Amino acid sequence: EAGVAQSPRYKIIEKRQSVAFWCNPISGHATLYWYQQILGQGPKLLIQFQNNGVVDDSQLPKDRFSAERLKGVDSTLKIQPAKLEDSAVYLCASSLSWGGQETQYFGPGTRLLVL
Amino acid sequence: AQKVTQAQTEISVVEKEDVTLDCVYETRDTTYYLFWYKQPPSGELVFLIRRNSFDEQNEISGRYSWNFQKSTSSFNFTITASQVVDSAVYFCALSEYGGATNKLIFGTGTLLAVQP
């Protein structure tokens, strides 16, 4: 079974530029998550989708971050414009369904460096 | 508020030594789930174990074992006879059941370095 796919793996941009990350969850997984992991810290949830609806985006900086999951499968996370503090690893995860008992499976992440 | 504390920032051991990674959690809920993930240098978080709050039985999987104690709010992870391939950052995480979201609350991780 294929795991969670993410691209690109690495991205270097200058501040105020835009960037987009793509995620393809495990086949059949209804719930998709985007986490931000700053160096030396644990991942922090940015947004959670159940199918194509948003369950939780309370930690998403909505003035610059946006995310969509239009057909309930793939998802895109965008940052516009990027700031230096956005330098982090962006991890996508998916789970079969929604609920605290569900195990989240993570992709390899996208390492973003903002100069 | 939910919180996960991994007090050990870095641990260095020599191959074949046993090592225990500590995890202490805080939650007001009676039903919750605890997880351990491994993050090797490649960056991907690899799922190791899930434990619910009603199951306090210790679990063993090969060289890995987990000790869950509700009385001390701890969920510790032991690697027996460590190997170089065990070198990674290990994260403990907490998730509530039935809340508005099932986001994982992660600790800050413990970097384990196993020297040959």
Side-chain angles (χ1 to χ4, degrees):
Chain A
E1 180 181 85
V4 177
Q6 289 187 249
S7 67
R9 292 296 312 277
Y10 305 91
K11 192 73 177 180
I12 301 175
I13 61 173
E14 295 189 351
K15 60 183 178 183
R16 291 188 288 274
Q17 285 187 326
S18 302
V19 64
F21 313 128
W22 173 82
C23 172
N24 182 244
I26 293 173
S27 177
H29 279 197
T31 311
L32 185 146
Y33 316 77
W34 284 101
Y35 286 83
Q36 180 192 57
Q37 185 179 18
I38 293 172
L39 187 64
Q41 299 181 18
K44 182 186 77 173
L45 181 74
L46 292 175
I47 189 167
Q48 176 182 345
F49 292 95
Q50 176 69 11
N51 295 309
N52 59 351
V54 175
V55 174
D56 182 4
D57 63 356
S58 58
Q59 299 294 305
L60 187 73
K62 298 181 186 65
D63 58 333
R64 298 183 300 105
F65 286 64
S66 64
E68 59 183 12
R69 192 184 184 201
L70 291 175
K71 296 182 179 180
V73 181
D74 293 8
S75 177
T76 302
L77 177 69
K78 297 179 182 178
I79 308 176
Q80 181 179 8
K83 291 186 175 181
L84 297 178
E85 58 261 37
D86 298 331
S87 294
V89 177
Y90 291 85
L91 294 162
C92 180
S94 70
S95 62
L96 192 61
S97 186
W98 174 87
Q101 77 283 2
E102 292 291 331
T103 296
Q104 297 180 28
Y105 296 93
F106 286 79
T110 297
R111 294 176 185 270
L112 174 67
L113 179 60
V114 182
L115 302 175
Chain B
Q2 291 180 302
K3 186 179 179 182
V4 175
T5 302
Q6 295 180 256
Q8 304 152 307
T9 304
E10 294 185 35
I11 300 176
S12 182
V13 298
V14 177
E15 208 169 18
K16 297 184 184 177
E17 282 186 29
D18 298 347
V19 59
T20 295
L21 309 181
D22 298 333
C23 172
V24 174
Y25 63 92
E26 295 176 31
T27 179
R28 287 177 290 184
D29 289 319
T30 56
T31 303
Y32 52 88
Y33 291 79
L34 296 163
F35 300 80
W36 276 95
Y37 285 86
K38 174 182 179 180
Q39 189 173 43
S42 60
E44 182 170 349
L45 279 165
V46 179
F47 167 71
L48 296 178
I49 190 171
R50 179 186 73 201
R51 173 67 72 208
N52 74 56
S53 53
F54 296 106
D55 183 1
E56 287 194 71
Q57 279 193 332
N58 292 333
E59 181 156 341
I60 298 174
S61 177
R63 298 184 296 108
Y64 295 170
S65 62
W66 290 268
N67 182 274
F68 176 32
Q69 292 194 342
K70 287 181 74 171
S71 61
T72 56
S73 296
S74 65
F75 186 42
N76 297 335
F77 172 30
T78 297
I79 301 175
T80 303
S82 60
Q83 299 177 1
V84 172
V85 292
D86 295 327
S87 297
V89 180
Y90 290 85
F91 289 96
C92 181
L94 169 69
S95 176
E96 290 180 340
Y97 178 79
T101 172
N102 60 309
K103 67 181 177 184
L104 291 173
I105 304 297
F106 285 88
T108 50
T110 298
L111 173 61
L112 174 64
V114 182
Q115 311 296 333

